[in-house]
Amino acid sequence: MFFAAAAACVASCDRVMDLTPPEKGPVDYDMVEFSLYESGTYDYYLDNPSYDYSILIGKSHAEKAATARFDVRDVSDFGEDYVALPDANWELSSASVEFKESDTVHEVDLSFTDLTSLDPGKKYVLGLELSSDEISVAEDRKTLTFYIYQEQGGDGNPIIITTPDGLAGIGSRLKAGQTTYFRLGADIDMSGVDWTPVNTTQQTQIDFDGCGYTVSNLSMTAAVNGDLGFFSFLRGRFANVNFENVTLKGDNVKAGVVAGRAGEAACPAVIENIKVSGAKITIGETTEYHTGGICSILEGNDSRVSRCSVTGAEIDAYWSAAGICGYVAVGAKVSECHFSGNILTGSRAGGIVGLMKFGTVENCYSSGRLDSGETRFIQGNPGPNGGIVAYTIPPGAADRPALISRCYSECYQTTRNQCGGILGYVEPAAQLTRIEHCIAWNECVKSTQAPRSGRVCGFFKQAIGIDCWADPDMKIEITGNPPITEDEDIVSPATKDRYNGKTATGTLVETARDVADFDPAIWDFSGERPVLKWEIE
């Protein structure tokens, strides 16, 4: 109706209205610009082999044909922490994009590939900047930055722990299918915290480095799966931590300051450079569970405890205990460790290891007092006592014997059962247990019930002793046996009930350095007694 009326008006007025659109005016091309729909920074991780990212480029007006391109920013723009992502690991579907006059948006695909082949210890960066020679680019929406590194908890980006809550939460941050890395960044006082042991699995292993910091006043009473310690079961590596004033208390548990259990045949544990001072460990009635200053059980061919010390310790265990490891088996090794303190048990006590089944103890020493079965007695299971190892048992194959090498003990020892300055008892079937280059420098070796005890080793049949020595002033109290002074140097499987070694003619340091063949690369002989070089470095 409206258009009809308008036409009539035009006719009646005898003039024609110009309905032609006005000519298109000049375009201000300064108003046209490119921009990224999304800009900023993005974090990707080397744990994943590939990522895909879609980049949307917009042109503000459907005017003017122009080309947009991506330039790679210089790596120096991002600081010294980052290196450029190699060209082989990323690709754009198009480095430049042609926009027709009518185009307002284009999509470019960015792909990252083979990232897991990169060095996890490095941090990579890819910086892209949108540019054009024909039109301007929005300053606030022209860059994309991709940081690519090991996710926190990876080898190159460990989780840093500086607080009690952070330490207590490490178990919840273990990642399935990989080793999770932690580092201490400060000394931590755990007063008032009842520690819940961290449990690792074959799928959630750990690498924990204390970087020389100290964890103090750690208290543990609640076991996980019957295992009590900083870890219930350690699979992985634990290193460079100092523990001060640790308290462990429990019943019927496998206990150690570092771990209840450490390592297995399929998944080793490495414990190194751990210093424990002032530990108080009290373990009540148990069903043949072991207690250790460092760990209860150490197992696995590649598992080891090295360069560790437990000093000023008070260990009170119903059944069996040792200064470093309660039980060592399946080829595990304890080396360059020392213990000082008092151990009271109802069965067996070892200055370094309690029970050993196919394992190695080398370059270790002990001092203090070992009391097994005399003050506290378990009927029918008195257990032996040894300044380094209490007891060795058959490994299941005669070609895999226990080895004790280049160790010495100054422990004062009392027991009801077999006793030896270095080794208490070799089970007869544990053939070829070997003691070599060891020194029994014990103040006292005393057995009230077992005449088959000796200066170096107690019951010793089918074992081998080579070049072992004993303090000439050792106090020997063995019921049923007169004081033992004869020298022995057994080089073939023994047929005797005990092994006394040879009587030293010099001091402890002289004996270790000059006749027992202690390695000067490992031991320091400058003091009153030999110490491990790592202690004074």
Side-chain angles (χ1 to χ4, degrees):
M1 179 69 73
F2 170 78
F3 291 106
C9 178
V10 171
S12 65
C13 296
D14 293 325
R15 56 190 177 86
V16 177
M17 182 180 287
D18 185 4
L19 298 179
T20 304
E23 290 187 10
K24 192 174 185 180
V27 175
D28 183 359
Y29 288 119
D30 291 340
M31 297 176 60
V32 182
E33 66 178 6
F34 284 128
S35 65
L36 298 173
Y37 273 60
E38 292 181 354
S39 62
T41 62
Y42 298 87
D43 293 327
Y44 288 160
Y45 304 115
L46 297 175
D47 308 89
N48 295 321
S50 62
Y51 291 95
D52 293 311
Y53 184 86
S54 294
I55 305 173
L56 292 178
I57 308 169
K59 183 157 66 76
S60 61
H61 296 78
E63 306 285 353
K64 187 174 175 57
T67 301
R69 69 174 180 273
F70 285 103
D71 298 324
V72 178
R73 296 175 62 188
D74 192 280
V75 70
S76 63
D77 293 346
F78 305 98
E80 297 180 355
D81 290 342
Y82 292 92
V83 297
L85 183 67
D87 292 344
N89 297 100
W90 66 277
E91 184 179 13
L92 285 169
S93 59
S94 179
S96 62
V97 181
E98 301 292 336
F99 277 76
K100 298 177 182 178
E101 181 177 306
S102 59
D103 292 341
T104 57
V105 65
H106 272 291
E107 182 177 356
V108 175
D109 293 326
L110 172 62
S111 60
F112 297 93
T113 58
D114 203 21
L115 297 181
T116 54
S117 67
L118 297 175
D119 184 350
K122 294 181 179 180
K123 296 180 179 180
Y124 298 89
V125 63
L126 172 65
L128 298 177
E129 183 172 320
L130 186 66
S131 64
S132 175
D133 293 331
E134 291 89 9
I135 63 176
S136 63
V137 178
E139 281 295 323
D140 60 341
R141 301 185 70 180
K142 69 177 183 178
T143 61
L144 282 167
T145 304
F146 299 90
Y147 295 106
I148 304 170
Y149 51 87
Q150 190 76 34
E151 187 175 7
Q152 191 175 28
D155 188 12
N157 189 28
I159 298 169
I160 307 300
I161 305 296
T162 60
T163 66
D165 286 345
L167 193 64
I170 64 175
S172 64
R173 303 184 74 173
L174 297 175
K175 295 180 174 64
Q178 66 181 70
T179 297
T180 306
Y181 291 78
F182 296 87
R183 299 291 180 264
L184 282 184
D187 295 334
I188 299 178
D189 187 342
M190 297 299 289
S191 296
V193 177
D194 189 5
W195 181 257
T196 298
V198 178
N199 189 46
T200 64
T201 67
Q202 291 186 18
Q203 290 72 41
T204 58
Q205 298 183 42
I206 195 169
D207 187 300
F208 189 109
D209 195 319
C211 302
Y213 288 105
T214 298
V215 176
S216 58
N217 302 311
L218 190 66
S219 178
M220 317 178 201
T221 59
V224 173
N225 298 327
D227 302 314
L228 183 62
F230 188 88
F231 296 93
S232 58
F233 200 142
L234 171 63
R235 297 172 175 92
R237 174 177 173 266
F238 187 73
N240 304 314
V241 179
N242 303 320
F243 287 103
E244 292 182 355
N245 300 323
V246 181
T247 301
L248 279 76
K249 188 173 183 179
D251 295 324
N252 207 34
V253 293
K254 299 181 286 293
V257 171
V258 172
R261 298 187 62 185
E264 56 189 338
C267 191
V270 173
I271 302 172
E272 53 192 358
N273 299 321
I274 305 299
K275 298 177 182 178
V276 178
S277 60
K280 185 175 180 59
I281 304 173
T282 306
I283 304 301
E285 187 167 348
T286 65
T287 307
E288 298 193 352
Y289 283 169
H290 306 274
T291 300
I294 295 293
C295 63
S296 170
I297 296 175
L298 180 71
E299 291 185 307
N301 278 317
D302 296 318
S303 294
R304 68 178 186 272
V305 173
S306 63
R307 296 193 170 196
C308 294
S309 63
V310 178
T311 58
E314 296 291 335
I315 301 177
D316 185 335
Y318 174 81
W319 186 63
S320 173
I324 301 295
C325 297
Y327 175 53
V328 172
V330 197
K333 178 184 287 189
V334 178
S335 65
E336 295 184 55
C337 295
H338 69 91
F339 167 80
S340 66
N342 300 316
I343 299 177
L344 171 64
T345 77
S347 178
R348 70 173 67 102
I352 300 295
V353 172
L355 177 65
M356 187 156 66
K357 176 182 180 181
F358 174 38
T360 299
V361 179
E362 61 184 9
N363 296 305
C364 296
Y365 70 94
S366 65
S367 61
R369 187 180 183 94
L370 309 180
D371 183 336
S372 62
E374 183 177 29
T375 303
R376 177 187 298 137
F377 175 62
I378 300 176
Q379 185 67 38
N381 192 11
N385 192 321
I388 298 297
V389 177
Y391 195 167
T392 63
I393 61 175
D399 61 342
R400 306 174 79 184
L403 172 64
I404 306 169
S405 175
R406 292 170 175 82
C407 298
Y408 77 87
S409 177
E410 296 178 291
C411 289
Y412 187 106
Q413 299 185 79
T414 60
T415 182
R416 291 171 64 97
N417 210 336
Q418 290 85 6
C419 190
I422 300 297
L423 174 61
Y425 181 83
V426 178
E427 189 168 307
Q431 297 183 10
L432 306 186
T433 289
R434 187 181 184 97
I435 307 176
E436 60 183 27
H437 308 288
C438 289
I439 305 172
W441 213 259
N442 311 79
E443 180 182 348
C444 175
V445 171
K446 176 183 178 180
S447 173
T448 60
Q449 300 289 324
R452 293 183 296 185
S453 298
R455 294 190 305 190
V456 174
C457 181
F459 192 71
F460 198 66
K461 284 188 176 179
Q462 299 303 311
I464 297 174
I466 298 175
D467 196 28
C468 291
W469 301 83
D471 181 2
D473 297 324
M474 181 188 297
K475 182 180 180 181
I476 304 168
E477 297 182 21
I478 300 173
T479 299
N481 270 338
I484 302 164
T485 57
E486 72 268 23
D487 290 352
E488 302 176 283
D489 189 11
I490 301 171
V491 295
S492 59
T495 57
K496 296 185 177 181
D497 285 345
R498 57 195 179 191
Y499 175 37
N500 296 305
K502 295 175 285 186
T503 301
T505 58
T507 65
L508 172 58
V509 168
E510 292 169 341
T511 303
R513 182 189 62 210
D514 301 334
V515 298
D517 195 30
F518 279 33
D519 187 347
I522 296 174
W523 294 89
D524 179 86
F525 306 111
S526 62
E528 294 183 358
R529 65 178 185 176
V531 297
L532 297 160
K533 281 196 168 181
W534 68 260
E535 298 179 68
I536 59 176
E537 290 174 349

